[in-house]
Amino acid sequence: MLLVLGECQKNYRRVVVMCFERYGIKKSHVSFFNLEKRLREHGKLRTTHNKRKSITNERNSADVLGAITLNPHVSQRELARASDISRSSIQRILKENRYHPYHLIPSQELLVTDYHSNIGGL
């Protein structure tokens, strides 16, 4: 596509027509302008973005993980209220550190009569 841009002497509207005729690619002239601009500024077609959110920084991560270590039964909502961090950010921090939300459900102990009543029906 950039070769077509050279052939059309940087006329972006002609590039759109030629790319559609040759390759069947339908893009706007602004797309080609941005592509060339990105290539000139960065030297590559794709720029890498810092995907790390500012709220899930090291300090907040350490605070959340510390609170989980002190009380593993605390809910994400309680952590969100106490730390002024959104629940989704807390969930993201826990997921990045491989913590999974679950609740232990205590059950009563089994008695000998429970075994006989369940097997007796068979």
Side-chain angles (χ1 to χ4, degrees):
M1 287 187 278
L2 291 173
L3 294 175
V4 175
L5 183 64
E7 288 177 26
C8 294
Q9 298 163 353
K10 293 183 74 174
N11 185 335
Y12 297 103
R13 293 189 190 275
R14 282 190 9 209
V15 171
V16 170
V17 173
M18 287 187 75
C19 279
F20 184 71
E21 289 173 355
R22 288 187 186 177
Y23 309 112
I25 298 172
K26 193 170 187 176
K27 297 276 185 180
S28 72
H29 66 282
V30 177
S31 302
F32 289 104
F33 175 78
N34 290 336
L35 181 68
E36 187 214 2
K37 181 180 173 186
R38 190 178 319 121
L39 191 59
R40 286 190 189 278
E41 288 177 359
H42 301 288
K44 52 188 170 183
L45 296 176
R46 289 188 179 180
T47 56
T48 55
H49 298 285
N50 186 6
K51 292 186 179 182
R52 183 127 174 121
K53 306 288 183 185
S54 62
I55 197 72
T56 59
N57 58 21
E58 295 296 324
R59 181 174 168 231
N60 288 339
S61 295
D63 291 344
V64 169
L65 294 176
I68 291 291
T69 304
L70 291 175
N71 183 7
H73 301 289
V74 68
S75 72
Q76 293 177 8
R77 288 181 182 157
E78 290 173 0
L79 284 174
R81 281 187 222 118
S83 63
D84 289 332
I85 301 173
S86 70
R87 190 195 55 77
S88 59
S89 294
I90 288 177
Q91 187 175 15
R92 190 178 310 115
I93 290 170
L94 294 176
K95 184 177 180 181
E96 287 174 356
N97 291 285
R98 297 188 178 178
Y99 281 87
H100 303 287
Y102 66 93
H103 292 283
L104 290 176
I105 301 173
S107 61
Q108 298 174 350
E109 67 182 71
L110 294 174
L111 303 174
V112 177
T113 56
D114 293 332
Y115 177 75
H116 293 295
S117 64
N118 287 336
I119 299 298
L122 295 174

